Amino acid sequence: MTQYGARHVAIIMDGNGRWAASRGQPRPYGHRAGVEALRKIVRAAPDLGIEYLSVYAFSTENWKRPEAEVETLMDLLVEYLRGEVDELDREQVKIIFLGDDRAMPERCKREMDIAAARTGRNQGLVLAIAVNYGGRDEIVRAVRRALADPKKAAELDEETFGDFLDTAGMPDPDLIIRPSGELRLSNFLLWQSAYAELFVTPVYWPDFDEQELERALQHFQQRDRRFGGHG
Ligand code: FPP
């Protein structure tokens, strides 16, 4: 195993549409290729010392896309979970979900519940799939949960607030990777990214592979993380 010191890596899987367009293909073709890239990266992650891998699959804003594209993405989530859960379970991967699942279609919720239950006791890589996820929405939901428990709400601090987030129990991301060149977080892990290092590559997500992941980790290793201190 190659250790780069990044326990938690988060990826904004961007660029499926542009990747498809560059091949004269429709967007679903790009999303399908995006799932293949995800398969590869999940398999590569443990050997690179990654313990938590968070991937942004569908944001709270993605509902604004045409209905047919939303349906494709939901179908791909179901397909991915059905197709992968056995092998991921064998590999000790624990699948969890970030985001508000109440708005997800029943067929997705069913597969999400099955995947989470099947892999819930696994001790290997934690794969956190963000669906119907928005960082602001997560913070608002966390505040609501905290307020429902007045005693805890009164004692709230930066650490205990984390217990109300979807990522409760997970370390903050060390590294956030954004393929396809955009220089923004797009509402991903807003609270948790306070001290995350960012790595942006022009490579579109469907072309993102193990070598590119390793390149991101090598860059990460060279960063001087001071967490607000110095020296
Ligand atoms: C952004 O590319 C990508 C998404 C909105 C969806 C990401 C989804 C996948 C990789 C596949 C589905 C995931 C699972 C877990 C089944 P874009 O469409 O915004 O690309 P563009 O910016 O080039 O148009």
Side-chain angles (χ1 to χ4, degrees):
M1 175 157 47
T2 320
Q3 289 288 354
Y4 291 97
R7 291 182 68 203
H8 183 178
V9 173
I11 306 182
I12 300 171
M13 304 187 289
D14 193 18
N16 297 345
R18 277 164 283 174
W19 183 88
S22 72
R23 284 163 172 71
Q25 296 288 338
R27 299 177 64 81
Y29 184 79
H31 292 314
R32 209 161 264 288
V35 176
E36 288 310 314
L38 177 61
R39 282 200 175 98
K40 276 190 274 181
I41 293 306
V42 171
R43 280 181 182 51
D47 283 341
L48 297 168
I50 297 169
E51 296 171 41
Y52 299 83
L53 179 68
S54 298
V55 293
Y56 206 2
F58 193 87
S59 76
T60 45
E61 288 74 35
N62 285 152
W63 298 106
K64 289 186 246 170
R65 295 190 176 203
E67 202 181 320
E69 184 173 351
V70 170
E71 283 299 298
T72 297
L73 288 167
M74 296 300 154
D75 287 346
L76 284 174
L77 176 64
V78 169
E79 232 178 82
Y80 174 76
L81 293 174
R82 278 198 192 140
E84 291 295 287
V85 75
D86 284 345
E87 192 171 335
L88 293 179
D89 187 32
R90 270 198 301 278
E91 288 169 10
Q92 284 298 303
V93 175
K94 176 175 172 173
I95 303 174
I96 64 165
F97 296 92
L98 311 178
D100 187 351
D101 66 0
R102 291 171 298 185
M104 293 297 285
E106 272 309 317
R107 67 186 195 285
C108 293
K109 267 201 266 193
R110 202 164 40 236
E111 293 304 323
M112 289 160 68
D113 288 348
I114 291 171
R118 273 281 299 282
T119 64
R121 292 192 178 162
N122 289 348
Q123 299 287 316
L125 175 76
V126 174
L127 172 62
I129 305 177
V131 280
N132 192 29
Y133 176 88
R136 287 184 171 183
D137 179 68
E138 179 193 30
I139 291 168
V140 171
R141 285 186 289 106
V143 169
R144 284 181 189 277
R145 277 183 218 144
L147 291 176
D149 188 339
K151 193 163 163 279
K152 279 193 180 164
E155 289 164 4
L156 214 53
D157 59 22
E158 287 187 17
E159 202 171 317
T160 54
F161 185 67
D163 298 339
F164 293 100
L165 293 166
D166 298 345
T167 51
M170 292 169 66
D172 285 343
D174 300 292
L175 173 65
I176 297 183
I177 299 175
R178 179 146 198 167
S180 88
E182 309 299 347
L183 298 172
R184 54 177 172 264
L185 281 177
S186 297
N187 208 8
F188 194 36
L189 300 177
L190 292 186
W191 173 274
Q192 301 87 336
S193 64
Y195 288 103
E197 298 292 327
L198 306 179
F199 179 84
V200 175
T201 168
V203 169
Y204 294 142
W205 173 247
D207 284 333
F208 193 93
D209 58 13
E210 297 89 335
Q211 286 72 39
E212 200 58 24
L213 177 59
E214 197 151 10
R215 207 168 73 80
L217 290 164
Q218 282 160 357
H219 275 261
F220 169 81
Q221 207 175 27
Q222 282 155 21
R223 302 274 175 93
D224 177 19
R225 300 184 83 195
R226 292 189 297 273
F227 299 96
H230 56 72

